Amino acid sequence: MAHFAKKVTWLELFYDLLFVAAVSKAGHVLLHVEHDTIPIQYLLKFVLIIVPVWWAWVGQSLFVNRYGEDTVSHRVFLILQLFFSLIMTASLSVEFDEYYLTFLIGYAGLRAMTAIQYLAVSKRESDHRKDTARYLGSRFWIGLIISSLSLFFDSWVRYAVLYAGIVIDMALPLMGRRYLVKTSINTHHLLERFALFTLILLGEILVSILAVLQSSEWTWESVLFAVLTFLLAIAVWWQYFDNVELKVNKNINTTGQIIIYGHLLIFISLCMLAASIRLLFLDQLDYVYMVTFLFGSVLLYFFSTTLVFHKYRHSDQRLGTSHLALLLGVLAVFIVISFITVLPSYLLVGEVMLFFALYAKVTTK
């Protein structure tokens, strides 16, 4: 069954901007360096921040995908969510503990609005669509209540309780798969939503280029670094969006869970890559740590995009093991060279750019 063309509304795009701002603030946590490394607590804070932000955005995006209509009531709900998004985004900081209450109010408000929307829409739907909306609308309160209880705890216990609720929240769609398969997502709309979010996040790499050019005198090394980083951004764009536009079967009927959870890893990898560019140019990290962090972000992007696109590709255009072996082999060579020889920053960026150019060529030809 072919999907009808579901249009992304202007209010949805406006909604996305706030969440991209939140993810961008989360990415800036990775720029904090102590003793030539990014301390483990900042890496953990990055994850602590980005996962709830991503999950809050996913919740509303999936509701709109299955049940959303551009009505006055839907706009009111989305505007209320924009308000809670502002509260949550304003609370994001390296000093996360100090702003935890406002963060929790924003997050809980977003999740509550989504749950209420499902319960409201279940009253006018019928058959399996009614069952799906009722299941999600009633079960999402479980994770929300557990996460809200984190307010009564301190230190690491607070975050353990918060994430216990989020993990349960994320598991509920998997546990209720029997409902979701009967109310499949609109693949075209969902891919467009995630692609638009990815596009704006990709802009963080361009922002990093501007930061590089503005933070130093223009030498041939800094200009070459900026040029290679720009080509890197183009290669990432080419690889991702040509796959979305040309290689993916948008009429496939699924629950969309590979798209959803796989994109969390894609978003994390893009934040890491943007942070790597700034830190690499500023030469603030230990060389071995820098190479590990840089190529770690590349590997994460490679595996997550391969996961997301493989199942949704047209069957005659799926990559074979030879393609994967070639890409991993080239990446392994670059990693080995980078570890055994201390390379200047522009050559490290050049290696990553060449890998993404090859990745784009192999996966979009």
Side-chain angles (χ1 to χ4, degrees):
M1 177 180 68
H3 286 300
F4 63 90
K6 188 178 183 70
K7 182 182 178 182
V8 175
T9 66
W10 294 113
L11 189 54
E12 283 181 86
L13 296 176
F14 186 33
Y15 182 76
D16 287 356
L17 290 177
L18 273 177
F19 277 91
V20 171
V23 173
S24 176
K25 289 187 72 173
H28 288 175
V29 174
L30 296 173
L31 299 179
H32 289 79
V33 177
E34 294 179 7
H35 308 297
D36 299 326
T37 64
I38 303 173
I40 186 66
Q41 64 264 33
Y42 288 112
L43 295 175
L44 290 175
K45 283 182 179 180
F46 167 68
V47 175
L48 281 172
I49 292 172
I50 197 172
V51 171
V53 169
W54 161 80
W55 185 239
W57 178 83
V58 164
Q60 180 61 22
S61 297
L62 285 175
F63 173 82
V64 172
N65 185 275
R66 284 192 170 95
Y67 298 102
E69 298 176 0
D70 193 14
T71 61
V72 173
S73 61
H74 174 69
R75 289 186 178 188
V76 170
F77 269 111
L78 207 55
I79 289 170
L80 286 172
Q81 292 209 26
L82 282 169
F83 173 73
F84 284 113
S85 300
L86 278 172
I87 294 175
M88 184 177 65
T89 303
S91 68
L92 301 179
S93 169
V94 174
E95 304 302 329
F96 194 42
D97 293 333
E98 296 180 15
Y99 302 96
Y100 186 78
L101 175 59
T102 52
F103 167 82
L104 187 61
I105 291 172
Y107 174 75
L110 283 164
R111 295 301 295 151
M113 287 295 103
T114 300
I116 291 170
Q117 281 180 287
Y118 275 116
L119 291 175
V121 81
S122 69
K123 296 178 179 180
R124 64 174 172 81
E125 294 289 346
S126 59
D127 300 327
H128 57 83
R129 287 178 61 82
K130 183 183 186 72
D131 294 338
T132 301
R134 182 184 295 164
Y135 171 81
L136 295 174
S138 60
R139 301 305 194 276
F140 278 150
W141 290 101
I142 300 172
L144 174 58
I145 291 171
I146 292 173
S147 290
S148 298
L149 291 175
S150 65
L151 191 60
F152 299 100
F153 299 91
D154 293 316
S155 67
W156 65 268
V157 180
R158 167 181 289 178
Y159 300 107
V161 174
L162 169 69
Y163 266 76
I166 293 174
V167 169
I168 291 172
D169 225 21
M170 292 170 62
L172 286 170
L174 300 174
M175 295 166 60
R177 187 176 175 82
R178 67 182 184 277
Y179 296 104
L180 273 61
V181 293
K182 297 177 182 179
T183 313
S184 61
I185 53 98
N186 186 303
T187 305
H188 187 282
H189 177 267
L190 191 66
L191 280 169
E192 185 176 5
R193 296 288 287 119
F194 277 99
L196 288 169
F197 202 97
T198 303
L199 181 64
I200 304 175
L201 270 183
L202 191 57
E204 285 296 303
I205 296 179
L206 300 180
V207 172
S208 295
I209 299 174
L210 294 176
V212 165
L213 292 176
Q214 292 172 353
S215 64
S216 67
E217 295 182 359
W218 284 30
T219 63
W220 71 266
E221 291 97 338
S222 63
V223 172
L224 180 58
F225 184 92
V227 169
L228 291 173
T229 305
F230 175 73
L231 293 176
L232 164 61
I234 296 300
V236 175
W237 171 85
W238 203 299
Q239 186 280 325
Y240 181 92
F241 288 96
D242 263 20
N243 272 277
V244 168
E245 192 65 28
L246 303 175
K247 302 298 182 179
V248 171
N249 180 7
K250 298 182 180 65
N251 292 321
I252 190 171
N253 290 309
T254 71
T255 59
Q257 288 166 343
I258 292 178
I259 296 175
I260 297 162
Y261 298 107
H263 269 84
L264 171 61
L265 302 179
I266 293 174
F267 295 163
I268 289 175
S269 66
L270 288 175
C271 287
M272 290 174 61
L273 192 58
S276 296
I277 291 168
R278 293 200 194 192
L279 295 173
L280 185 60
F281 181 79
L282 296 174
D283 195 24
Q284 292 181 331
L285 294 177
D286 172 76
Y287 179 79
V288 173
Y289 187 97
M290 183 68 252
V291 171
T292 303
F293 189 76
L294 174 64
F295 282 101
S297 67
V298 175
L299 278 169
L300 183 59
Y301 179 89
F302 172 70
F303 285 122
S304 54
T305 49
T306 299
L307 170 69
V308 168
F309 291 126
H310 179 71
K311 180 177 179 180
Y312 290 90
R313 277 175 169 263
H314 294 283
S315 57
D316 61 333
Q317 294 183 346
R318 289 178 179 168
L319 300 181
T321 53
S322 60
H323 298 101
L324 297 177
L326 170 64
L327 292 166
L328 285 174
V330 170
L331 190 56
V333 169
F334 285 152
I335 292 173
V336 170
I337 291 174
S338 300
F339 274 117
I340 65 175
T341 306
V342 177
L343 300 176
S345 58
Y346 57 84
L347 286 183
L348 287 172
V349 170
E351 287 181 327
V352 175
M353 182 274 293
L354 288 175
F355 170 76
F356 275 106
L358 178 63
Y359 189 26
K361 175 66 177 179
V362 170
T363 57
T364 62
K365 64 181 180 180

